[in-house]
Amino acid sequence: MKTLLMKNWDRLRSSFWFVPAAMACLAVALAMSAVALDKAAGLRLGWSYSGGAEGASQLLGTVAGSMIAIAGTVFSMTLVALSLASSQLGPRLLRNFMRDTANQVALGTFVATFVYCLFVLRTIRRADEVAFVPHLAVSIGVLLAVVSIGVLIYFIHHVSVSIQADEVVARVGRELDEGIDRLFPATLGQPVPAGAKAPGAAGLPATFARDARPVPALDDGYLQLIDADTLMALASEEDMLLQLERRPGHYLVKGRAMVMVWPGERVTDSLVERMNAAFVLGNRRTAGQDIEFCVNQLVEIAVRALSPGINDPFTAIACVDRLGSALCRLARRDMPSSHRYDPDGKLRLLVPVSTFAGTVDTAFNQIRQSARANPAVAIRMLDAIAQIADQVQSAQDAACLQRQADMLIRGARVAVPEADDLSAIEARYTVATLALHAQLA
């Protein structure tokens, strides 16, 4: 249930309709409250509207008409920004623009002001009827119109800034940093208890490979979220050991093994349904529990920037800088164990986990392949490796960085024709190698 709520909340945050709809509902409540206050108290403050019914109707009608026109303009500008971002930076980044709270609030402000004016306008009565002019409500409508003008000015500025490549890279980089802070060290069940077997093959039952049975996926899609608490509670309740075959970000095929259950006789139709309910699938990857999703977004921007059609190495360098910063942060974190225990010290879950080496490969492989003949990007990647080298905590982490540096220099020696450019790359390679060797010493 918790993971499903997280998925639905992320979907609402990424939509253009939720915030404007919520603000429109608040506008209806505000209009009714202001009109009711006018009827009950008949307030005539010094700053409130003091004209008659005809003037109030014209004023609110003008504000309502202008607001719906501005809302259409704002929506058109947003679509232009989305189109530009999709073509220049990649279609998967549309989610970041649609999640932008400023865009949603701007559209919601104009829609809410329009709705407010309509609901107040319907309460005005002229002299040939029972005369009633909601002075306070009309004044609030004028105030909302003034606020909307300010929001329009801010929105124009915000859109012009938000479509800049460096700003997009920075926004994705912040999301990556937040994901690292949230997921590492990850907690799925309890940490290894005192006296329990250390993670490794020795912690598995001897008959696991023979007696374990698969639980198939009941649908196709990308694994977005896993309800860890539900799986742990289910494993403890049924006295089972579960081995997850996929982690968030992987694609599940209907009918293929999603979880291996030991002992196998515990697998029933009811268990299959309950276990599938703990896995949230969707049509795309999300950042909720998938750290490589944000890494891939930066990689996509960099690879597109290095394509012959765009040829923008500065954007690629900005992506490398953000990836290097995130990997420095990740290198200082403890990687989660693949073995998860319940409070009684029993091994309940075996999960595939993200590793530092895997994240480094995801971050650098495609950029390195696209930047073989670009000395500026290769130099910046080696600089990033040297910076990350100061933060690594194990020989294994240093070895994966050394492997990336070696592949960079081999590619440059083949693809860079200018001797001076190659000398600069080799100098950076030497610095990175010395930094890595210093960590291994």
Side-chain angles (χ1 to χ4, degrees):
M1 179 60 70
K2 182 175 67 175
T3 53
L4 190 59
L5 290 175
M6 289 175 58
K7 176 184 178 181
N8 290 331
W9 174 243
D10 182 74
R11 181 181 299 174
L12 290 176
R13 286 187 60 198
S14 302
S15 66
F16 270 141
W17 64 266
F18 177 68
V19 172
M23 294 180 69
C25 292
L26 291 176
V28 173
L30 177 61
M32 292 181 173
S33 300
V35 171
L37 189 60
D38 268 310
K39 289 181 178 179
L43 293 178
R44 296 291 296 273
L45 302 177
W47 51 268
S48 63
Y49 175 78
S50 58
E54 189 67 30
S57 298
Q58 293 181 359
L59 178 61
L60 291 177
T62 300
V63 171
S66 61
M67 287 302 107
I68 198 64
I70 292 176
T73 302
V74 166
F75 189 71
S76 299
M77 293 175 63
T78 303
L79 289 181
V80 171
L82 292 177
S83 176
L84 180 63
S86 176
S87 60
Q88 295 293 322
L89 303 173
R92 274 154 291 280
L93 288 168
L94 293 182
R95 165 183 166 274
N96 297 77
F97 287 91
M98 295 182 68
R99 286 170 59 94
D100 194 332
T101 305
N103 293 340
Q104 297 172 356
V105 170
L107 183 59
T109 299
F110 305 129
V111 172
T113 303
F114 169 75
V115 171
Y116 176 88
C117 291
L118 285 186
F119 272 79
V120 174
L121 187 60
R122 61 187 288 274
T123 66
I124 298 176
R125 300 291 184 269
R126 291 171 174 78
D128 54 345
E129 305 171 3
V130 179
F132 173 70
V133 179
H135 298 279
L136 178 62
V138 173
S139 302
I140 293 175
V142 174
L143 179 61
L144 289 176
V146 174
V147 171
S148 298
I149 297 300
V151 171
L152 176 62
I153 296 172
Y154 169 77
F155 174 78
I156 295 173
H157 166 77
H158 178 73
V159 169
S160 63
V161 171
S162 64
I163 61 176
Q164 296 176 18
D166 288 340
E167 183 67 23
V168 175
V169 171
R171 191 184 307 131
V172 177
R174 286 193 295 270
E175 186 178 14
L176 175 57
D177 291 341
E178 292 170 0
I180 292 174
D181 292 338
R182 183 177 64 252
L183 297 175
F184 296 94
T187 54
L188 182 61
Q190 302 294 324
V192 178
K197 294 181 179 180
L204 286 174
T207 60
F208 183 87
R210 185 187 70 224
D211 296 338
R213 287 183 55 189
V215 170
L218 298 181
D219 203 354
D220 299 307
Y222 287 100
L223 180 54
Q224 297 178 338
L225 300 167
I226 299 176
D227 192 338
D229 295 335
T230 296
L231 289 177
M232 184 63 74
L234 186 59
S236 299
E237 175 187 337
E238 300 290 338
D239 192 22
M240 301 181 301
L241 172 60
L242 308 179
Q243 178 175 284
L244 278 63
E245 298 295 306
R246 296 289 184 268
R247 60 180 171 84
H250 288 172
Y251 188 83
L252 295 182
V253 178
K254 183 177 180 180
R256 299 299 300 271
M258 180 177 66
V259 181
M260 298 299 294
V261 177
W262 180 90
E265 61 265 18
R266 299 281 200 278
V267 178
T268 63
D269 292 341
S270 175
L271 181 70
V272 170
E273 293 180 1
R274 292 174 64 187
M275 199 165 291
N276 271 267
F279 292 79
V280 177
L281 305 183
N283 295 328
R284 56 183 175 81
R285 299 174 68 172
T286 62
Q289 296 178 356
D290 181 12
I291 194 65
E292 291 184 2
F293 173 74
C294 294
V295 173
N296 283 331
Q297 285 188 307
L298 288 172
V299 171
E300 179 178 4
I301 297 173
V303 171
R304 279 178 170 267
L306 291 171
S307 64
I310 297 178
N311 192 23
D312 180 14
F314 296 101
T315 297
I317 288 173
C319 293
V320 171
D321 290 340
R322 290 288 176 174
L323 288 169
S325 175
L327 290 173
C328 284
R329 184 187 299 263
L330 183 62
R332 298 191 294 267
R333 303 302 174 91
D334 294 327
M335 294 294 105
S337 170
S338 60
H339 288 48
R340 312 299 164 84
Y341 297 80
D342 65 11
D344 297 327
K346 283 190 173 182
L347 180 61
R348 293 300 184 190
L349 293 178
L350 295 169
V351 299
V353 295
S354 297
T355 63
F356 179 78
T359 306
V360 168
D361 289 343
T362 300
F364 285 158
N365 277 347
Q366 293 188 58
I367 301 178
R368 172 179 49 78
Q369 293 159 5
S370 300
R372 293 183 65 199
N374 194 308
V377 179
I379 288 172
R380 188 57 63 92
M381 291 182 71
L382 289 169
D383 287 342
I385 290 174
Q387 292 175 343
I388 302 167
D390 294 334
Q391 307 296 328
V392 295
Q393 303 178 17
S394 69
Q396 183 179 5
D397 293 347
C400 78
L401 291 172
Q402 183 65 60
R403 183 170 59 86
Q404 287 291 337
D406 293 342
M407 288 188 288
L408 269 167
I409 193 63
R410 286 198 298 267
R413 286 168 179 165
V414 172
V416 176
E418 175 56 47
D420 289 343
D421 288 339
L422 184 58
S423 297
I425 297 174
E426 289 182 337
R428 293 303 205 286
Y429 170 75
T430 302
V431 171
T433 300
L434 291 175
L436 290 167
H437 287 171
Q439 291 299 107
L440 293 174

